[in-house]
Amino acid sequence: MALLEIRDLRMVYPNGHEALRSVSMQAERGEIVAIIGRSGAGKSTLLRCVCGLQRATSGAIHLGGEDIVAADRHKLRTMRRRIGFIWQEYNLVDRLPAITNVLTGRLGYANAAASLIGIFDRTHREIAVRNLDRVGLYEKANQRADRLSGGEKQRVSIARAMSQEPTILLADEPVASLDPELAEQVMADLSRVAREDGVTTLINIHQVELARAFADRVIGIAQGEVVYDGPPIGLSEAVLDRVYRFDRMPRLAVEVGIS
Ligand SMILES: Nc1ncnc2c1ncn2[C@@H]1O[C@H](COP(=O)(O)OP(=O)(O)OP(=O)(O)O)[C@@H](O)[C@H]1O
Ligand SMILES: [Mg+2]
């Protein structure tokens, strides 16, 4: 069985909007999967359902054999310990140093009372420092998060997620706030550490060329449905039209002079 197996996932928001219709997909252990699709296609909804931030309306999400849709609160808490999440806007605690932000990735494992007052034992500190070092930020360990550049902030959040020792990593547009050169570097860091640790990774991304460069597989979503699932090399113009058709049609109409 694949590490992640999603079957017939449907998500209807309380206002009646059906964001995911019937999504089925799998991801193998260690696989890096890029998810592409136009704005509003359902990419973030999908990741939020996978990490249990949002409960799907129906369907199943088996992670390591356990269904996150059916999990009770206690089970969900245990499962989420091993789910790393990387946000577009980093979600760091601004006034805390980089290293402390990374250490929060260890909260699920640390002694709760001690960690509340900032005491983490040596093992946790070693893991955090090693992960900062892996993304090239050893020197910045004591710098406050709000004094780091955008690229550095996202690297801290990668180090934090890796410190969770996750079985799965979910990244929702991790490089959308960075300039193109930096975006490529951060994607390189993210995919390298994920590969080194064999962590299955799902990345929502708008730049098709980055999906091509760093993913093993690409899933295209349009209007809450999977319209492509295959290797990056299969992303032909025809496939991209299918994924982005609702974006492309008006442009096409302008080009052929029918709008
Ligand atoms: N809390 C909510 N209540 C109602 N509708 C929502 C809610 N959150 C998202 N939606 C709708 O669900 C659809 C999918 O949203 P989602 O955020 O998953 O899209 P996305 O693919 O991540 O888009 P983007 O590329 O802009 O981030 C959109 O039409 C959105 O307006
Ligand atoms: Mg989104």
Side-chain angles (χ1 to χ4, degrees):
M1 194 183 192
L3 178 91
L4 174 71
E5 189 159 339
I6 299 178
R7 275 201 308 270
D8 292 332
L9 197 71
R10 185 163 179 259
M11 172 71 211
V12 183
Y13 282 109
N15 68 355
H17 182 77
E18 189 179 30
L20 299 175
R21 289 167 201 273
S22 175
V23 169
S24 296
M25 60 160 283
Q26 298 187 343
E28 302 296 333
R29 199 169 293 276
E31 199 174 18
I32 297 184
V33 180
I35 300 169
I36 60 170
R38 61 165 291 195
S39 182
K43 306 179 298 295
S44 296
T45 303
L46 178 61
L47 290 200
R48 285 201 299 267
C49 288
V50 172
C51 77
L53 271 175
Q54 216 154 49
R55 201 175 285 270
T57 309
S58 61
I61 303 174
H62 288 280
L63 185 60
E66 296 189 279
D67 187 1
I68 205 153
V69 178
D72 62 24
R73 285 168 61 131
H74 174 73
K75 183 90 215 160
L76 198 59
R77 207 165 37 233
T78 317
M79 289 177 83
R80 287 187 60 186
R81 188 179 294 173
R82 306 295 301 268
I83 303 176
F85 209 102
I86 294 170
W87 316 79
Q88 178 179 342
E89 292 301 334
Y90 327 118
N91 270 13
L92 302 177
V93 183
D94 278 346
R95 59 196 166 73
L96 292 180
I99 185 68
T100 313
N101 271 283
V102 176
L103 272 165
T104 64
R106 298 297 303 165
L107 278 175
Y109 300 100
N111 174 309
S115 56
L116 269 181
I117 51 169
I119 301 171
F120 287 88
D121 73 27
R122 223 171 104 185
T123 319
H124 297 303
R125 289 188 171 274
E126 279 169 6
I127 291 171
V129 169
R130 188 173 60 83
N131 280 313
L132 259 187
D133 192 29
R134 292 170 84 193
V135 293
L137 286 182
Y138 182 83
E139 309 287 328
K140 305 268 179 175
N142 293 314
Q143 192 151 320
R144 272 173 60 138
D146 56 3
R147 297 193 182 141
L148 297 169
S149 72
E152 288 168 348
K153 283 181 183 165
Q154 199 55 304
R155 288 188 172 99
V156 169
S157 101
I158 292 169
R160 175 181 58 188
M162 295 312 286
S163 295
Q164 279 177 256
E165 299 182 323
T167 47
I168 191 163
L169 197 55
L170 308 171
D172 197 355
E173 298 192 26
V175 297
S177 302
L178 306 176
D179 69 49
E181 194 183 333
L182 209 50
E184 194 173 330
Q185 289 167 12
V186 170
M187 278 295 288
D189 277 335
L190 171 58
S191 54
R192 176 178 45 80
V193 294
R195 281 188 207 287
E196 282 171 1
D197 292 6
V199 180
T200 306
T201 304
L202 305 189
I203 308 172
N204 284 351
I205 193 152
H206 273 289
Q207 301 94 318
V208 174
E209 58 299 354
L210 292 179
R212 279 204 177 99
F214 294 104
D216 301 313
R217 195 149 61 83
V218 178
I219 290 180
I221 297 188
Q223 296 201 312
E225 283 179 291
V226 174
V227 295
Y228 177 76
D229 184 347
I233 202 168
L235 289 174
S236 61
E237 274 302 305
V239 165
L240 290 175
D241 265 343
R242 197 156 75 226
V243 175
Y244 292 106
R245 67 187 143 181
F246 302 100
D247 257 354
R248 293 189 160 206
M249 253 155 46
R251 251 186 281 150
L252 194 64
V254 169
E255 275 162 26
V256 298
I258 57 169
S259 72

